Amino acid sequence: PASIFLCLSGTMASTTKDEKADDFEAKLRFIQENVPDRTRMVAGSTAGAGSGDFHSYRQARRKEQVRLEDLERDWEEKKKREAFLAKREAREEEEKRKREKRKAQREKKKEKKRKRTKGREVTTERIEEEGAENREEPA
């Protein structure tokens, strides 16, 4: 048990998801190889088995099958959830990129309009000044 703890705690410095998954699989394999399984059905199908032992065996087998099915279902749900989150993140990144592009286009358009409007204002100011000068002369 102490050696299992030391071995398991030594690999916690992984950074990427793939490395963490590989470390997890290595830890799981280590535990499965070194930790003994609990024997639930001692009699099994031996010659000395009584009449009720088969029913006990069948019930234990059914429980184990249900447990394995639950593990498999949980694994599939986890994979689906990870795929969904990855897809959603990619979609959000794409939307963010498009949003930034449209924002830049709007800013560019506004800047162009400001330059055009600024030139017109100067032109209209000159016209008004010239018009005012022309109006003052005849008076």
Side-chain angles (χ1 to χ4, degrees):
S3 63
I4 292 173
F5 178 74
L6 291 175
C7 182
L8 293 178
S9 64
T11 58
M12 296 303 281
S14 299
T15 56
T16 64
K17 290 181 181 179
D18 293 334
E19 289 176 353
K20 287 181 180 179
D22 292 341
D23 288 344
F24 178 75
E25 290 174 5
K27 292 174 192 175
L28 183 61
R29 203 173 316 111
F30 177 80
I31 290 170
Q32 288 174 344
E33 292 172 358
N34 295 320
V35 176
D37 292 334
R38 174 179 277 173
T39 307
R40 295 173 191 229
M41 187 61 190
V42 180
S45 60
T46 60
S51 60
D53 288 339
F54 175 72
H55 302 292
S56 301
Y57 161 75
R58 189 171 57 183
Q59 183 181 15
R61 182 172 174 261
R62 184 181 55 79
K63 284 182 181 179
E64 181 65 13
Q65 291 297 322
V66 169
R67 187 185 73 83
L68 292 175
E69 288 171 3
D70 289 344
L71 287 174
E72 187 66 29
R73 189 176 346 102
D74 290 345
W75 178 255
E76 292 298 323
E77 288 176 4
K78 180 183 175 189
K79 287 294 183 183
K80 285 180 183 178
R81 186 172 43 250
E82 287 176 355
F84 169 75
L85 292 175
K87 190 175 179 181
R88 184 172 75 175
E89 185 176 323
R91 204 170 39 233
E92 287 174 353
E93 288 295 323
E94 181 67 20
E95 286 297 320
K96 183 179 178 184
R97 186 187 61 76
K98 286 182 181 180
R99 190 174 30 238
E100 292 295 326
K101 184 178 177 182
R102 288 190 301 260
K103 181 179 177 183
Q105 288 175 346
R106 282 192 307 272
E107 289 297 323
K108 187 176 177 182
K109 189 175 178 182
K110 285 180 184 178
E111 189 60 35
K112 259 187 176 178
K113 188 175 181 180
R114 282 188 206 122
K115 284 182 181 179
R116 273 190 266 135
T117 311
K118 187 176 183 181
R120 286 183 187 164
E121 289 172 358
V122 170
T123 308
T124 55
E125 288 174 6
R126 286 182 193 161
I127 294 171
E128 289 173 2
E129 288 173 5
E130 290 173 3
E133 289 173 6
N134 291 338
R135 282 186 237 140
E136 290 176 8
E137 290 175 10

